[in-house]
Amino acid sequence: MFSASSLLTLVTLALGIAAKPVIIDRSPVLSIPLTKVHNITSGHNLVASGLARAQNFKDRAKAHDLAEIRKRQSVPVTNEVVTYLASVGVGASDTQYQLIVDTGSSNTWVGATTKYVPSSTSTDTGDRVSVTYGSGEFSGTEYIDEVTLSSSLVITSQSIGVASSSEGFEGTDGILGIGPDDLTEGTVSGVSTVPTVTDNLFSQGTISEKVVAISFEPTTSDEVTNGELTFGGTDSSKFTGDITYTSKTGDYWGITQTVTYGSTTIQSSLSGIVDTGTTLLYLEENGFDKYIEATGGTFDDNTGLYKITTAQFNALEDLVFTIGGTEFALTPNAQIWPRSLNTAIGGSASSIYLVVANLGGEEAGFDFIDGYVFLERFYSVFDTTNSRVGFATTSFTTATTN
C-alpha cells in the first residue's frame, strides 16, 4: 500500500526566470518556474494598486450579483506592482503561459499577451466569461482544456477563460486562480461556479487534500529564486515550529486577527483578507492612524507611502498579529520597504518607507489585507478541505533583509 506521504503530491514553484522543472530527491515534489516582476510606472502605483484591488473585494462583499459588481467598477484599473508568474502549459501542444499566482481570485485564464490557440484537447463551451479585479479585468470565452503544471501534474479537463479583451495585465498572460471556488460564482454564463485547479487536482486523484501552501522569502532583488507553492499539503522544510490554523471567513481567504504595536492595540478582533495579489499591508483607517501616530511616520508625496527617520526606525517595535491565539510578529525590518528598491518606487535611496498603508474607513466588514509583505515573513496554508487558513514562522521571519 502507498504511505500517506506518497499519496501527498506537492507542487513547488521556484521564483526565477531560468529555472526548469526539477524533481527534488525521489519524493513527489515538482518545481515549476515562477518569476517575480515589479511593474511600477510611478510611486503612487504601489499604494493605488492595492486600494483598487481592495475596492473590488469590498464591492463583491456588498454586491448581490455580478452585474452590480461590474457597475461599481468604473474607476481606471491600476496594474499590480509585484506579481509572481508561473509558467503553465495549456493544450495538446503544452503552450506556456506566464500566469499570475493569485489567492484573491479563483478563475484560471489565458490570452492577455500570448494568444490562445485551440488544439485537439480544446473544447469551446460557448459560455461567456468576465472577471473584474480592480487592478485589471478580462472578458472572453470559457474553454475546457488540458492544463500542465508539471510533467507529472496534468489536469485533463480544466475550465479556463480565454481572453478576447483584457486590461491591466501587460507583461503577463493571465491568472492561475487559487482562491476559494465561491469566487467564480457569476463569472461564467450558464454555470454556477467553476472548479479551480485545486478542485480538479483533487477530483482527479492527484492530491489527497484540497490544500495550497505558500513559502516566500524577503528579498532586495527584482528577480530571485526564493518561493514555493505547494498543492496537496505542506512542506515541513519551509517553516519552523507548528502551523496555527484559524477558521476561514467570507468568500475570500478571510481571517480574524488582532494587531498590536508595543502597548497600543491597533485593531481588535477584526476581519480581513490574506492575499498574494496585494503588495502592501493595509489597515482600516482608525488602526492605520494609530500605527502612524505610534511610529511617527510622515506622508511622502513621491511614493504615496509613509516614511520614517533613522532614529524612528531604530525605535520601531514589533507589529504583532494575533491569529488563532498565536502571535506573529513583524519585526522593525519587516515593516519597511527594501531600501535597495526605493528608487524603483519613485523614492529616495536614503529614505526609509513603511509598508503599512491606509485601507480607508470601515466598510462591509472588511478591515485589513495581509499582503505579500506579510506573507514573505510567514508560511501560509490555504485549506479548502477544512475551511481554514494556517500560518507558521520561518527561518526568514526575523531576517534583516530590508
Side-chain angles (χ1 to χ4, degrees):
M1 294 181 63
F2 290 99
S3 67
S5 61
S6 67
L7 290 173
L8 181 66
T9 301
L10 307 177
V11 181
T12 63
L13 288 93
L15 296 170
I17 297 175
K20 295 181 179 180
V22 175
I23 297 179
I24 303 174
D25 298 326
R26 293 188 177 181
S27 63
V29 179
L30 302 172
S31 176
I32 300 173
L34 191 154
T35 304
K36 177 182 177 183
V37 177
H38 278 81
N39 183 22
I40 303 172
T41 57
S42 70
H44 288 284
N45 276 359
L46 187 64
V47 177
S49 64
L51 290 177
R53 190 173 175 89
Q55 188 59 51
N56 184 66
F57 292 159
K58 292 179 180 181
D59 287 346
R60 183 180 179 93
K62 292 187 295 183
H64 297 294
D65 55 42
L66 186 63
E68 186 176 345
I69 296 174
R70 288 174 182 153
K71 274 192 258 183
R72 296 175 185 214
Q73 299 304 319
S74 58
V75 298
V77 297
T78 306
N79 290 351
E80 295 293 348
V81 175
V82 178
T83 55
Y84 299 87
L85 305 180
S87 186
V88 176
V90 176
S93 60
D94 194 29
T95 301
Q96 296 296 301
Y97 296 91
Q98 306 307 306
L99 305 184
I100 299 170
V101 177
D102 187 13
T103 60
S105 67
S106 302
N107 294 76
T108 291
W109 63 275
V110 300
T113 302
T114 303
K115 297 306 177 185
Y116 175 81
V117 179
S119 66
S120 60
T121 58
S122 307
T123 300
D124 183 351
T125 69
D127 295 330
R128 298 295 299 166
V129 57
S130 180
V131 184
T132 299
Y133 301 90
S135 55
E137 60 186 1
F138 92 98
S139 60
T141 303
E142 196 76 2
Y143 277 72
I144 304 296
D145 210 339
E146 185 174 271
V147 170
T148 302
L149 299 176
S150 76
S151 59
S152 299
L153 282 163
V154 180
I155 304 171
T156 56
S157 298
Q158 176 64 46
S159 185
I160 61 169
V162 174
S164 56
S165 66
S166 64
E167 187 176 3
F169 294 94
E170 291 76 8
T172 71
D173 293 318
I175 284 182
L176 179 68
I178 54 174
D181 58 9
D182 287 351
L183 298 180
T184 68
E185 183 177 356
T187 60
V188 178
S189 63
V191 298
S192 56
T193 58
V194 177
T196 66
V197 292
T198 310
D199 292 334
N200 281 330
L201 286 171
F202 176 76
S203 65
Q204 294 178 20
T206 307
I207 59 177
S208 59
E209 291 183 289
K210 289 196 282 187
V211 174
V212 180
I214 298 176
S215 167
F216 288 134
E217 299 171 17
T219 176
T220 58
S221 302
D222 284 339
E223 298 173 1
V224 63
T225 301
N226 71 344
E228 179 179 283
L229 175 63
T230 304
F231 286 96
T234 60
D235 182 349
S236 60
S237 71
K238 298 298 181 180
F239 61 91
T240 57
D242 297 324
I243 299 173
T244 295
Y245 288 97
T246 187
S247 297
K248 170 187 170 294
T249 63
D251 291 341
Y252 295 89
W253 287 115
I255 63 171
T256 299
Q257 66 184 19
T258 292
V259 183
T260 57
Y261 177 84
S263 61
T264 302
T265 299
I266 302 298
Q267 292 184 327
S268 181
S269 192
L270 296 180
S271 298
I273 293 173
V274 183
D275 181 34
T276 60
T278 298
T279 304
L280 301 174
L281 171 66
Y282 287 84
L283 302 177
E284 59 86 22
E285 194 164 36
N286 289 335
F288 174 79
D289 288 344
K290 292 178 183 178
Y291 174 74
I292 292 301
E293 182 179 358
T295 59
T298 58
F299 184 75
D300 178 68
D301 287 320
N302 293 324
T303 63
L305 296 174
Y306 281 71
K307 64 181 181 180
I308 55 177
T309 65
T310 299
Q312 288 170 329
F313 172 68
N314 292 335
L316 279 183
E317 300 184 64
D318 288 350
L319 185 63
V320 179
F321 299 72
T322 302
I323 302 170
T326 299
E327 293 185 349
F328 297 92
L330 278 185
T331 64
N333 184 267
Q335 296 172 50
I336 66 170
W337 181 255
R339 282 165 280 193
S340 63
L341 298 177
N342 280 354
T343 57
I345 60 170
S348 166
S350 61
S351 294
I352 303 174
Y353 300 98
L354 297 169
V355 294
V356 180
N358 189 353
L359 183 61
E362 186 175 343
E363 184 178 359
F366 181 75
D367 302 299
F368 62 83
I369 304 176
D370 291 345
Y372 169 74
V373 295
F374 178 85
L375 294 173
E376 69 180 352
R377 298 289 177 153
F378 303 104
Y379 193 75
S380 54
V381 184
F382 305 90
D383 184 349
T384 299
T385 298
N386 298 294
S387 191
R388 61 184 184 173
V389 181
F391 298 98
T393 57
T394 75
S395 58
F396 301 97
T397 295
T398 59
T400 56
T401 306
N402 295 342

